[in-house]
Amino acid sequence: MGWKLISSVPNPWGKVPMFAGDRSAVPQVEAYMSRVVEVVTKRDCTSRRHHYVPQSYLRAWSPDRKRVRVIDIRNGLDKLRGIRDTCVEENFYRVTDASHRPHNQVEAMLGVIDDETAPLLERLRR
């Protein structure tokens, strides 16, 4: 089946040819979209602790990739704190579907985006 080139869009991999039917000629994009589709089909993710600031972003500004400097705005004290325990809340992205059943699908989808942006943030940091 022949694909007709209809456009190209800028992204982290450079210019990616997009074809009719939302198919891409670039394997990395195909793999990314496969991960997104896989996550969309799951109603829940295993994690209940959701970072409202992505861990990859925190890690990009960490002096040792494990901790980040946190300032307590109540008293002005600052300290290094573990990334896993910073900007996190239980079930932060929990939503309910049309049947009023709660799920964490949003957190799982954001995890895919976080995985993709982590290398870009690391490159910017360097």
Side-chain angles (χ1 to χ4, degrees):
M1 175 179 207
W3 297 98
K4 180 183 173 189
L5 183 66
I6 57 173
S7 67
S8 63
V9 294
N11 70 56
W13 301 284
K15 291 283 225 175
V16 176
M18 300 298 290
F19 294 86
D22 293 328
R23 294 192 49 100
S24 170
V26 178
Q28 295 98 323
V29 175
E30 290 285 346
Y32 168 74
M33 292 309 297
S34 294
R35 288 194 308 274
V36 170
V37 169
E38 178 186 333
V39 168
V40 167
T41 60
K42 297 177 181 176
R43 292 303 286 163
D44 224 349
C45 64
T46 57
S47 174
R48 300 284 181 248
R49 299 181 77 230
H50 303 165
H51 283 81
Y52 49 88
V53 175
Q55 290 183 74
S56 61
Y57 183 82
L58 295 171
R59 199 170 289 113
W61 307 110
S62 168
D64 61 5
R65 302 188 48 80
K66 296 176 184 170
R67 298 172 297 160
V68 68
R69 187 159 304 282
V70 176
I71 299 174
D72 187 331
I73 59 170
R74 293 170 293 195
N75 57 25
L77 297 176
D78 67 281
K79 64 179 180 176
L80 286 175
R81 186 173 182 182
I83 289 173
R84 297 178 133 229
D85 298 321
T86 303
C87 300
V88 65
E89 192 172 313
E90 190 165 326
N91 291 317
F92 185 76
Y93 292 109
R94 187 178 267 305
V95 294
T96 56
D97 62 17
S99 301
H100 303 289
R101 290 183 307 244
H103 63 84
N104 285 321
Q105 185 177 15
V106 173
E107 167 67 10
M109 293 174 71
L110 290 172
V112 174
I113 296 169
D114 190 33
D115 290 344
E116 287 297 314
T117 58
L120 176 60
L121 286 170
E122 184 59 34
R123 177 180 273 174
L124 289 172
R125 182 176 185 255
R126 280 182 279 175

